[in-house]
Amino acid sequence: QVQLMESGGGLVHSGGSLRLACAASGTTLDIVAMGWYRQAPGKEREVVATRTNGGDTNYGESVKGRFTISRDNAKNTVDLRMNNLKPEDTAVYYCNAVSGSSSIKVNYWGQGTQVTVSS
């Protein structure tokens, strides 16, 4: 089992910046990727940014050029730096960790942290 503890988030004006942080604990040796997803009211959860242990990074189209993901594999942490925030970035942001082998993978989720961007 992997436990994820998130921090950061809050209320910011449009154009502002925020940083989210997430730390994994428990059975972390099998983690192969960590990242962030978000879910706005009435919408499906979507990928924000992910990063594998090997450094492969993926960003959602709407955040490219504004958000930056970083990981510390040794500390099992993942951060998300969000710049030039827009009202449409308002959502609950969830930390994610993928654990397992190439054939069987398990997703773990944090409890979520609210990000609200006012116009």
Side-chain angles (χ1 to χ4, degrees):
Q1 292 287 325
V2 174
Q3 295 79 43
L4 300 172
M5 180 64 70
E6 300 149 336
S7 61
L11 174 65
V12 65
H13 290 299
S14 181
S17 297
L18 282 174
R19 174 180 168 271
L20 304 181
C22 176
S25 61
T27 309
T28 60
L29 286 178
D30 294 334
I31 290 177
V32 297
M34 295 184 72
W36 294 90
Y37 289 70
R38 69 186 182 187
Q39 187 167 18
K43 295 187 177 181
E44 294 185 354
R45 190 172 297 189
E46 63 176 0
V47 62
V48 177
T50 61
R51 189 174 177 91
T52 67
N53 288 3
D56 292 332
T57 302
N58 176 57
Y59 289 97
E61 283 297 323
S62 63
V63 308
K64 285 182 179 178
R66 300 187 297 123
F67 292 10
T68 302
I69 188 171
S70 59
R71 278 192 64 191
D72 186 325
N73 292 350
K75 296 181 178 179
N76 294 303
T77 60
V78 61
D79 290 355
L80 184 69
R81 179 66 180 176
M82 304 182 290
N83 294 326
N84 190 23
L85 282 160
K86 304 176 182 181
E88 51 264 41
D89 294 317
T90 295
V92 177
Y93 284 68
Y94 295 91
C95 179
N96 168 264
V98 180
S99 180
S101 65
S102 58
S103 58
I104 300 175
K105 288 186 171 59
V106 178
N107 278 283
Y108 295 93
W109 299 94
Q111 78 281 5
T113 185
Q114 178 71 44
V115 171
T116 303
V117 184
S118 62
S119 58

